[in-house]
Amino acid sequence: MIENLPPCPKCSCEYTYEMNALVVCPECGHEWVPAEGGAQAGEGSGAKVVKDAVGNVLGDGDSVTVVKALKVKGSPSGIKAGTKVRNIRLVDGVDGHDIDCRIEGFGAMQLKSSVVKKA
């Protein structure tokens, strides 16, 4: 049983009630399956939750700090630990690279969320 029932998505009525697995609105008669809290709601809606190296949830536009030195192909020097990256974008990248960003001095690249920390 859900403790705090959500308002009706159609008419915003606050007096919704549960009937079996559905939530029902008494004013407009709309019935829907409620999203159950936390991780299950994210999985059900198809939204992928991306977490940084310490477990913070990342979002588009966040600033992150690189937590370990990274080698970059074609560059004599890599990205040093502590480098700040602003305005990241979350993507479904190749091989676990789920952050698209622009790093000053290197240009556009993709990073893994496991090597950054939310700033």
Side-chain angles (χ1 to χ4, degrees), residues 16-93:
T16 57
Y17 61 92
E18 273 187 306
M19 184 168 49
N20 298 327
L22 298 175
V23 176
V24 181
C25 175
E27 289 185 5
C28 69
H30 179 65
E31 298 177 348
W32 73 97
V33 177
E36 305 211 338
Q40 291 178 348
E43 292 169 8
S45 65
K48 181 180 173 190
V49 176
V50 178
K51 294 186 178 184
D52 66 2
V54 293
N56 297 323
V57 177
L58 296 173
D60 287 344
D62 285 345
S63 294
V64 295
T65 304
V66 178
V67 294
K68 75 179 225 181
L70 303 172
K71 294 180 184 178
V72 178
K73 279 187 185 177
S75 174
S77 63
I79 299 172
K80 295 179 181 176
T83 302
K84 191 163 185 171
V85 181
R86 286 182 262 158
N87 199 17
I88 64 169
R89 195 166 33 124
L90 301 178
V91 295
D92 290 329

